[in-house]
């Protein structure tokens, strides 16, 4: 159940990567560029945006303990961005787990499911768990994700996409985390299977009081699942609001464009915007409002002035000159 207690607090988080262009000239790719947000305990917090907007990198900053470019990340009261040594990271490591888009990425094809699910216990509880205890944990995890314990004798290639994603979820749950980063967890699955995996995530959240940081390009999925949603464009949050406010009182032109393009959402309440052009490169983003090259409402000042993310209605934040009353 969602509480008001913060579990993730990000302050001015930046994650830059060094890159070289085709001529060998050094540059910086600003994948996450000054993000501040708070996630509450038990909440499902959605992050949406097109591919390349920085949403996956933002999720992974919580796993890059001590290795972000700048800013602070506090998780459950601990400043994880200040971690220096391996011991601190390992002690903390089980609190946040990741469910991947492609479950095969975390399932060693040469390992049976038993071995895959035993691994977290072998790494973190090598000395204090017997083989039998690990075996019974594996059975418990399989049952939790709706698979019979006999599945532990199979190899990943003997399972369907949906079953593999259930194993990915079971593996993420093994060490009883508080937070799960779900990075496009259903986008590689058939539509009929997507609903089953989403329902499973909802059930597990209730049972284990989990907090989800749910990353997706699909506004339909995010709408059904999330309490609050942040929309990202080229490394920045451009709109952040409760789910209903984001869909029924959409403010940012980019959010309107994403909703216009989402096949499963009723668009009666918004002015449709069809986006043209690709997302500009985060290595060389436009000046001013980064969205001005694609925005149908762009004004002169949008080409030079960066809009600040401001709270313009109760708990509804937007970064757009159209909504800054002081300008
Ligand atoms: Fe469009 Fe200007 Fe608002 Fe950016 S600041 S979204 S360019 S109107």
């Amino acid at each position: 159940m969602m509480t008001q207690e913060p579990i993730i607090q990000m302050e001015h988080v930046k994650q830059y990567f060094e890159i070289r262009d085709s001529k060998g000239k050094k540059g910086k790719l600003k994948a996450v560029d000054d993000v501040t947000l708070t996630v509450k305990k038990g909440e499902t917090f959605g992050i949406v945006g097109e591919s390349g907007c920085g949403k996956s990198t933002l999720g992974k900053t919580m796993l890059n303990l001590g290795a972000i470019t700048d800013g602070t990340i506090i998780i459950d009261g601990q400043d994880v961005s200040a971690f220096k040594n391996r011991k601190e990271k390992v002690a903390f490591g089980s609190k946040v787990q990741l469910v991947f888009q492609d479950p095969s990425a975390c399932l060693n094809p040469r390992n049976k499911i038993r071995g895959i699910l035993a691994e977290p216990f072998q790494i973190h509880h090598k000395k204090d768990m017997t083989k039998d205890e690990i075996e019974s944990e594996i059975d418990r995890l399989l049952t939790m994700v709706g698979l019979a314990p006999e599945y532990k004798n199979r190899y990943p290639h003997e399972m369907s996409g949906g079953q593999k994603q259930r194993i990915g979820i079971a593996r993420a749950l093994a060490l009883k985390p508080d937070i799960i980063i779900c990075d496009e967890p259903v986008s590689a699955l058939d539509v009929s299977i997507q609903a089953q995996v989403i329902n499973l995530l909802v059930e597990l959240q209730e049972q284990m009081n989990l907090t989800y940081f749910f990353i997706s390009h699909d506004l339909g999925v995010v709408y059904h699942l999330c309490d609050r949603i942040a929309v990202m464009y080229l490394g920045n949050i451009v709109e952040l609001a409760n789910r209903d406010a984001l869909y029924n009182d959409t403010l940012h032109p980019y959010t309107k464009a994403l909703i216009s393009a989402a096949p499963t959402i009723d668009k009666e309440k918004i002015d449709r915007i069809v986006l043209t052009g690709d997302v500009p490169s985060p290595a060389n983003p436009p000046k001013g409002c980064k969205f001005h090259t694609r925005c149908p409402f762009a004004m002169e000042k949008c080409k030079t002035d960066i809009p600040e993310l401001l709270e313009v209605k109760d708990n509804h934040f937007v970064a757009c000159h159209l909504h800054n009353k002081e300008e």
Side-chain angles (χ1 to χ4, degrees):
M1 204 183 76
M2 187 169 93
T3 66
Q4 290 308 311
E5 200 184 329
I7 188 161
I8 304 168
Q9 293 161 281
M10 296 191 183
E11 292 276 340
H12 303 294
V13 171
K14 295 179 182 171
Q15 185 79 72
Y16 296 170
F17 301 107
E18 296 249 323
I19 47 161
R20 280 179 195 275
D21 66 15
S22 53
K23 290 179 186 136
K25 197 175 155 212
K26 268 192 184 175
K28 277 202 172 70
L29 189 149
K30 299 180 178 179
V32 175
D33 196 12
D34 202 350
V35 166
T36 295
L37 59 83
T38 299
V39 178
K40 298 165 194 167
K41 221 172 225 176
E43 180 175 30
T44 299
F45 188 91
I47 297 274
V48 288
E50 291 163 289
S51 159
C53 71
K55 55 192 189 304
S56 291
T57 309
L58 181 66
K60 285 177 192 143
T61 58
M62 285 182 272
L63 301 168
N64 287 356
L65 305 173
I68 56 170
T69 307
D70 202 5
T72 313
I73 303 178
I74 298 182
I75 296 182
D76 211 11
Q78 271 185 287
D79 184 354
V80 302
S81 46
F83 281 173
K84 294 273 181 292
N85 58 55
R86 196 175 170 273
K87 210 172 148 197
E88 280 176 311
K89 294 178 189 180
V90 171
F92 178 84
S94 55
K95 269 187 191 288
V96 185
Q97 296 292 319
L98 179 66
V99 171
F100 294 87
Q101 174 179 3
D102 174 10
S104 306
C106 70
L107 307 182
N108 182 341
R110 284 189 289 269
N111 250 356
K112 284 190 177 171
I113 300 306
R114 173 188 282 108
I116 289 168
L117 292 180
E119 216 171 49
F121 302 109
Q122 288 161 346
I123 294 169
H124 288 265
H125 297 286
K126 209 170 189 173
K127 296 189 185 109
D128 48 293
M129 281 182 84
T130 63
K131 268 191 175 173
D132 285 351
E133 283 169 336
I134 293 179
E135 197 71 12
S136 90
E137 278 298 297
I138 291 168
D139 293 354
R140 187 182 65 84
L141 286 169
L142 285 168
T143 310
M144 274 180 83
V145 297
L147 293 173
E150 291 70 45
Y151 275 83
K152 65 189 171 189
N153 298 316
R154 295 194 184 189
Y155 286 97
H157 74 265
E158 296 174 300
M159 305 182 91
S160 68
Q163 288 168 340
K164 279 194 255 186
Q165 191 54 294
R166 285 172 191 267
I167 299 296
I169 294 168
R171 195 178 193 280
L173 294 176
L175 299 173
K176 301 192 174 80
D178 297 320
I179 300 164
I180 306 260
I181 302 166
C182 302
D183 191 357
E184 304 267 14
V186 294
S187 57
L189 304 175
D190 288 350
V191 176
S192 57
I193 309 294
Q194 284 186 3
Q196 292 173 16
V197 173
I198 286 174
N199 290 342
L200 173 67
L201 288 169
V202 172
E203 280 165 30
L204 292 169
Q205 181 174 41
E206 280 164 18
Q207 280 170 33
M208 297 180 69
N209 200 20
L210 294 163
T211 301
Y212 288 146
F213 196 84
F214 197 92
I215 299 161
S216 180
H217 71 282
D218 185 339
L219 268 101
V221 169
V222 167
Y223 178 71
H224 289 296
L225 207 62
C226 297
D227 300 300
R228 282 187 307 145
I229 297 157
V231 180
M232 274 189 89
Y233 190 75
L234 283 179
N236 300 110
I237 290 179
V238 295
E239 186 161 4
L240 194 170
N242 293 329
R243 181 206 29 197
D244 288 336
L246 194 91
Y247 287 85
N248 297 328
D249 186 16
T250 317
L251 299 179
H252 199 282
Y254 179 58
T255 315
K256 288 184 183 179
L258 289 182
I259 294 177
S260 302
T264 54
I265 296 177
D266 170 17
K267 299 157 189 105
E268 266 178 33
K269 294 186 185 113
I270 66 155
D271 332 316
R272 288 195 186 209
I273 295 180
V274 179
L275 274 185
T276 52
D278 294 329
V279 184
S281 162
N284 188 19
K287 292 205 165 49
C289 172
K290 291 177 183 170
F291 186 56
H292 84 255
T293 53
R294 302 170 82 196
C295 178
F297 307 105
M299 305 167 274
E300 261 321 296
K301 70 153 71 160
C302 303
K303 296 180 187 164
T304 49
D305 297 4
I306 300 171
E308 227 184 301
L309 186 69
L310 297 173
E311 187 173 9
V312 295
K313 299 187 181 182
D314 252 6
N315 295 313
H316 195 153
F317 299 79
V318 66
C320 173
H321 295 306
L322 291 174
H323 299 284
N324 187 346
K325 292 197 176 76
E326 283 168 21
E327 288 179 356

